[in-house]
Amino acid sequence: MDSNNSNDTVSLYKKKNLQKIILGLILILLLIIISIYSICTGEYQLSIMDIINSIFGNGSVASDLVIWNIRIPRVLAATVAGVSLAVSGAVMQCVLRNPLASPYTMGVSHGAMFGACVAIMLLGVGSADSHGSIVVDNFQAVSVFAFIGSLIGVFVVLGLAKLRRLTPESMILAGVAMGSLFTAGTTLLQYFADEMQLAAMVYWTFGDLGRAGWTEITIMFAIAVISMIYFIYKRWDYNALESGEETAKSVGVNTERTRLLGMVMASLLTSICVSFLGIIGFIGLICPHLVRIAVGGDYRYLIPLSALVGAVIVTFSDLIATTIISPIVLPVGILTSFLGAPMFLYLLMRMYKK
């Protein structure tokens, strides 16, 4: 009798694992389809044969220019940003033991916004092109300032946690406070900015995938790969943390160190993306919850599946942004907020019902 129960348990476990693997394969296939369609679609229409010819070096000059300089970098930026933000959110929710933890609620995005606005004010890098569109002249300098701003808030929160031994719940409140402080600072800068500086600040706050070139994508990809390897390596520690502080300590997990390193890696991953692309909201908040609803909270699967869901949502949002009122391209941050807000409310009601 016990043997039959044991066999049933093992078969059920294998079946659930198989379902998770199938879900991952479906998400990969969906990401490939959306990516190919995104490369083909736009003001300059391309076919799949155009893409194949361009890959093998037989494409026309115009198609090569569009594919390698505009479309593929945009798709790769969307994929890497989705992976980075979703995984950062999943790890933050675990180490802070709070379902509302995310790069956005922890003030990382607001810190980057403040840093970028400081650069625009000090360096005067905002201008308009011949068509009247707002451009940021020294994009690299603005990205550096945004990166520094995003890390300031994180290190203040981590410093308070270390010195005052803040609880995980208190850390997210400290993050919200830092986000409010950065927002106030940004508003103050905008109040004293001239028209061109103000326009450049507002332009930067929109998450725009078109800003990333091959250099930025390479940096984001390298940081994402290193972070993913670390997070997957620590997956058992995160599973232990989900069971509670005492349980994690009883199985040999150094909870303080795991929390600190997890927050640092997640914040670094987010700050790199936000500094290059601007603010892309809600991805780090909703993607881990969607995966938890589908497959549960096992971090062996939660981390890679959250990464795939994030990549699919950002890539799909960018596809809508480039086609909904073509030839005008909307910033992807607007679309993720429009999609994310109702989805988050739905998840909130579902969690409350449970």
Side-chain angles (χ1 to χ4, degrees), residues 3 10 20 25 42 55 64 67 82 87 122 135 182 191 203 215 238 247 278 297 307 344:
S3 176
V10 170
K20 294 168 185 175
L25 294 174
I55 290 172
D64 285 350
I67 290 170
V87 171
L122 293 180
V135 293
F182 282 130
Y191 182 79
Y203 163 76
T215 302
Y238 297 143
T247 304
F344 176 66

Side-chain angles (χ1 to χ4, degrees), residues 132-286:
S133 300
I134 300 299
V135 293
V136 176
D137 300 322
N138 195 340
F139 178 69
Q140 291 77 12
V142 174
S143 297
V144 170
F145 272 76
F147 179 63
I148 293 171
S150 62
L151 289 185
I152 287 173
V154 172
F155 284 124
V156 167
V157 173
L158 292 177
L160 288 173
K162 190 72 176 175
L163 293 173
R164 298 297 179 184
R165 297 190 178 277
L166 296 182
T167 62
E169 294 80 4
S170 300
M171 284 178 69
I172 193 169
L173 293 176
V176 171
M178 289 303 300
S180 298
L181 182 63
F182 282 130
T183 301
T186 301
T187 305
L188 183 65
L189 290 175
Q190 291 175 346
Y191 182 79
F192 287 106
D194 60 33
E195 290 182 1
M196 193 56 65
Q197 290 173 339
L198 179 60
M201 290 177 186
V202 173
Y203 163 76
W204 192 91
T205 57
F206 298 143
D208 186 7
L209 298 171
R211 300 174 193 168
W214 285 105
T215 302
E216 290 79 19
I217 291 168
T218 302
I219 294 171
M220 288 194 299
F221 179 77
I223 299 295
V225 169
I226 293 169
S227 301
M228 284 290 291
I229 292 171
Y230 173 78
F231 291 145
I232 291 173
Y233 174 72
K234 301 292 285 184
R235 63 196 183 279
W236 290 110
D237 290 352
Y238 297 143
N239 279 338
L241 279 174
E242 285 285 294
S243 302
E245 187 90 11
E246 296 303 320
T247 304
K249 287 181 178 179
S250 68
V251 295
V253 178
N254 187 333
T255 55
E256 287 188 6
R257 184 181 174 186
T258 300
R259 281 203 173 93
L260 181 65
L261 289 178
M263 278 296 297
V264 168
M265 292 296 289
S267 301
L268 175 65
L269 190 57
T270 303
S271 59
I272 286 288
C273 286
V274 174
S275 65
F276 287 148
L277 304 175
I279 296 175
I280 303 175
F282 280 103
I283 299 300
L285 189 62
I286 62 174

Side-chain angles (χ1 to χ4, degrees), residues 58 65 146 159 276 305 310:
N58 300 320
L65 182 66
F276 287 148
L305 289 179

Side-chain angles (χ1 to χ4, degrees), residues 29-204:
L29 180 62
L30 191 59
L31 179 61
I32 292 171
I33 292 170
I34 295 172
S35 299
I36 292 173
Y37 188 73
S38 296
I39 296 172
C40 293
T41 306
E43 192 174 357
Y44 186 89
Q45 291 289 333
L46 295 165
S47 66
I48 294 177
M49 284 307 301
D50 290 329
I51 299 172
I52 294 172
N53 289 333
S54 183
I55 290 172
F56 287 101
N58 300 320
S60 64
V61 175
S63 63
D64 285 350
L65 182 66
V66 171
I67 290 170
W68 293 105
N69 290 11
I70 300 173
R71 302 277 173 84
I72 288 181
R74 193 177 187 94
V75 167
L76 290 177
T79 302
V80 176
V83 168
S84 301
L85 296 172
V87 171
S88 297
V91 172
M92 285 183 178
Q93 287 166 15
C94 174
V95 299
L96 296 178
R97 293 174 62 192
N98 193 311
L100 295 179
S102 74
Y104 193 80
T105 54
M106 285 300 295
V108 179
S109 300
H110 299 88
M113 179 174 65
F114 176 73
C117 291
V118 169
I120 291 168
M121 278 283 286
L122 293 180
L123 305 178
V125 295
S127 65
D129 60 18
S130 57
H131 301 289
S133 300
I134 300 299
V135 293
V136 176
D137 300 322
N138 195 340
F139 178 69
Q140 291 77 12
V142 174
S143 297
V144 170
F145 272 76
F147 179 63
I148 293 171
S150 62
L151 289 185
I152 287 173
V154 172
F155 284 124
V156 167
V157 173
L158 292 177
L160 288 173
K162 190 72 176 175
L163 293 173
R164 298 297 179 184
R165 297 190 178 277
L166 296 182
T167 62
E169 294 80 4
S170 300
M171 284 178 69
I172 193 169
L173 293 176
V176 171
M178 289 303 300
S180 298
L181 182 63
F182 282 130
T183 301
T186 301
T187 305
L188 183 65
L189 290 175
Q190 291 175 346
Y191 182 79
F192 287 106
D194 60 33
E195 290 182 1
M196 193 56 65
Q197 290 173 339
L198 179 60
M201 290 177 186
V202 173
Y203 163 76
W204 192 91

